[in-house]
Amino acid sequence: MKPTSEALLQRLKQHFPDDSHHHRGHAGAAGGAGHFAVTLVSPVFAGLPTVRRHRLVYDAVADWMPHRIHALSIHAEVPGN
């Protein structure tokens, strides 16, 4: 039986936790917001410049910033690249 996408994400989080603990103490992380790095591969990014790709990702989590996510490093690719 194939796992759900949520099950896969949870499994990966166990092995690759966020790096927020490295940033404790600086002003931006004082409220407990996290630092994350994501790599997304989607056909939605086809033909878009990097800035536009990043904007789409930021828009998807806008309601979490800056209170739940303080920093987000993004690598957005098109399938096959």
Side-chain angles (χ1 to χ4, degrees):
M1 175 194 295
K2 75 177 187 176
T4 64
S5 57
E6 183 60 33
L8 176 59
L9 182 58
Q10 289 305 317
R11 173 69 59 93
L12 292 172
K13 283 181 177 181
Q14 290 172 2
H15 292 274
F16 303 99
D18 76 74
D19 67 348
S20 298
H21 64 283
H22 293 293
H23 304 280
R24 285 194 183 112
H26 76 76
H35 288 238
F36 299 91
V38 297
T39 297
L40 298 165
V41 180
S42 173
V44 171
F45 300 134
L48 299 177
T50 301
V51 172
R52 181 69 181 122
R53 293 175 185 195
H54 287 204
R55 175 53 41 214
L56 289 173
V57 177
Y58 281 120
D59 288 349
V61 296
D63 61 321
W64 286 355
M65 296 183 83
H67 305 292
R68 295 179 72 184
I69 297 174
H70 169 68
L72 184 60
S73 173
I74 301 167
H75 186 75
E77 296 183 8
V78 176
N81 285 352

